[in-house]
Amino acid sequence: MFNTLAPQILFQEVPDEVSLGFTVMGCQLRCKGCHSTDTWSEDGGSPLTAEIFRTYLKQYVDYISCVIFFGGEWQAEKLIEMLDISHDFKLKTCLYTGLNQVPEKIIKRLTFLKTGPWIRELGGLDQATTNQKFIEVSSNRILNHKFQETH
Ligand code: SF4
């Protein structure tokens, strides 16, 4: 099962893109101070099949430029299937992971990658002190400054 919460249109999680974001259930990382403990169980949300995902993308493709998955790297083959479908729709792709590294077979399907666990003392991408990185995969450039420009 590859369960997700209902998708949301997002404007800030990927700079300069309008994204459709899917939160994948079953994160095992248990970051202290996690804001999304309701996503730790694999059982919540509802199953995202290829067919359902395509239906969502057909519905939203005219309004978005990118698809974000919040987690899901723990089910790499399912995540890869969804990333490949996103490419069929000519959409950019992004993964938000709490890991510092993910397998190359996932990275090569991503336009953007956010890495690193949540550490409350260091803050998120909008803080200069953060341990997290937002990376443009093709150039390997770190784009954290785009989250910090208003601070
Ligand atoms: S990676 Fe994200 S969802 Fe998972 S425990 Fe850490 S903060 Fe929570």
Side-chain angles (χ1 to χ4, degrees):
M1 293 266 268
F2 189 75
N3 279 21
T4 68
L5 300 179
Q8 290 182 292
I9 295 263
L10 301 168
F11 297 96
Q12 295 183 334
E13 281 70 7
V14 176
D16 308 321
E17 307 290 343
V18 178
S19 301
L20 191 64
F22 292 83
T23 298
V24 182
M25 304 302 291
C27 182
Q28 301 292 319
L29 293 183
R30 307 289 188 263
C31 302
K32 197 174 156 199
C34 171
H35 298 286
S36 310
T37 53
D38 55 326
T39 68
W40 289 2
S41 163
E42 284 185 357
D43 300 329
S46 52
L48 186 68
T49 63
E51 186 183 355
I52 292 169
F53 186 55
R54 281 184 189 279
T55 301
Y56 276 131
L57 295 191
K58 275 183 203 156
Q59 187 181 345
Y60 285 100
V61 68
D62 291 340
Y63 309 104
I64 61 173
S65 55
C66 187
V67 177
I68 307 174
F69 284 93
F70 298 99
E73 66 278 3
W74 50 86
Q75 288 201 55
E77 296 311 317
K78 280 304 239 181
L79 180 61
I80 284 169
E81 182 180 18
M82 301 304 163
L83 295 173
D84 286 346
I85 291 170
S86 305
H87 292 143
D88 290 345
F89 282 80
K90 311 275 188 252
L91 292 165
K92 297 176 184 175
T93 53
C94 178
L95 172 66
Y96 267 62
T97 176
L99 299 175
N100 289 315
Q101 285 186 321
V102 291
E104 183 59 32
K105 63 185 177 183
I106 294 177
I107 292 176
K108 72 182 192 184
R109 291 174 163 87
L110 296 172
T111 318
F112 304 101
L113 172 64
K114 178 253 131 191
T115 61
W118 165 251
I119 300 175
R120 188 198 307 260
E121 305 76 60
L122 300 180
L125 290 169
D126 59 346
Q127 301 293 317
T129 51
T130 191
N131 59 301
Q132 299 183 326
K133 292 179 188 164
F134 188 91
I135 302 161
E136 181 183 60
V137 172
S138 63
S139 64
N140 210 25
R141 279 195 307 152
I142 295 173
L143 301 182
N144 286 25
H145 62 278
K146 296 209 168 202
F147 294 82
Q148 298 165 11
E149 280 162 359
T150 57
H151 289 255

